[in-house]
Amino acid sequence: MKTLKFKLYEHKRNKYLKRSINVAGVIYNHCIALHKRYYRMFGKHLNCAKLQSHIAKLRKRNSFWQSVGSQAVQDICQRIEKAYQLFFKHNKKGVRPPGFKKVKKYKSFTLKQAGYKFLGGNRVKIGSRVYQFWKSREIEGTVKTLTIKRTPLGELFMVLVVDDGGIPEVEIKTGKIAGFDFGLKTFLTCSDGTKIESPQFFKQSLNAIKKASKQHSKKLKASSNRERARKNLVRKHEDISNCRRDWFWNLAHELTDKFDILCFETLNLKGMQRLWGRKISDLAFGEFLQILEWVAKKKNKLVVFINQWYPSSKTCASCGHVLEELDLSMREWRCPYCQSVNARDENASQVIEMVGASTIGLGDVSRATPAIAV
Ligand SMILES: [Zn+2]
């Protein structure tokens, strides 16, 4: 599965899509209200199928609601259901049930199999109207879902989830495999010993954001000055993410030139965020991995993921001994079994490489690090 994002051309017609997003927001809030009322009256959870059929009936009688596709309406119900299931499962950990959202801030609607059609070139028919988009890349594979997103600046994007079939053949060019460990200060530690530091401009631009957000909060609510400050703040945010994305693309090309197979741990972003605070979202590891996977596929390279729960930091890369415990603050440790001294991040990246190699059935690739019994 792959996610592709395209910007829609500015056009008068786009107001219909924006209206659909607003209507989706209204329907969303209506669903939330129904959930709450149902719970008050019957003391139990309103099930998704019931909600869907009720909302579908309402939609038939309401021409305003009909400006969003029936599939988008189903999607809203399913999303709310997912949010509730998460809440039921994790409410002890502080997850809140889904709540009302401001329609103005409501961001998107999603269509599954129906309600849109690609007309070739850069034209797509959504509902009964045709829109054009910047076709920055080919759409390969089957489109699973189509989402129209509205940014805080009011621009529209089309996001496609595409099924691109199985794992590609790896073309052996460099004959090299490497493992990588993400970190806060050092963005990536590579198993060949190199370190890729987080660029300084992330920090600098963060200061710019702080300033802009202060300006914004000082302005009078609902004033035109505040709206201008809000746009300024949003633009600063977009500047940063553009810089970052550029850097990610360059890095992805650099790494895929150097290695044929790249191994990573799957990310547990929620957990990392709790552990490290908001910084993690600035680094956006997830975004980098998406870009890397895209570049790797284009160049017939392979990105391998190992389970995030694999004790990569606690396993000795030299002998395979697994420690009982390793405190986060320990940057270095001595293996009690083989006495080798392991730097935390380097050791982890080497273990990730070895486990990655074994999961794709590469018993003995030419590696600097010795094999371990997993
Ligand atoms: Zn050891």
Side-chain angles (χ1 to χ4, degrees), residues 267 342 374:
L267 295 175
N342 299 318
V374 179

Side-chain angles (χ1 to χ4, degrees), residues 315-322 333-342 347 372:
T315 305
C316 173
S318 309
C319 72
H321 180 78
V322 182
W333 53 281
R334 180 183 287 276
C335 173
Y337 192 75
C338 71
Q339 301 299 319
S340 57
V341 177
N342 299 318
N347 181 71
I372 54 165

Side-chain angles (χ1 to χ4, degrees), residues 345-357:
D345 299 341
E346 277 95 336
N347 181 71
S349 64
Q350 284 165 8
V351 173
I352 291 168
E353 180 199 317
M354 287 184 276
V355 177

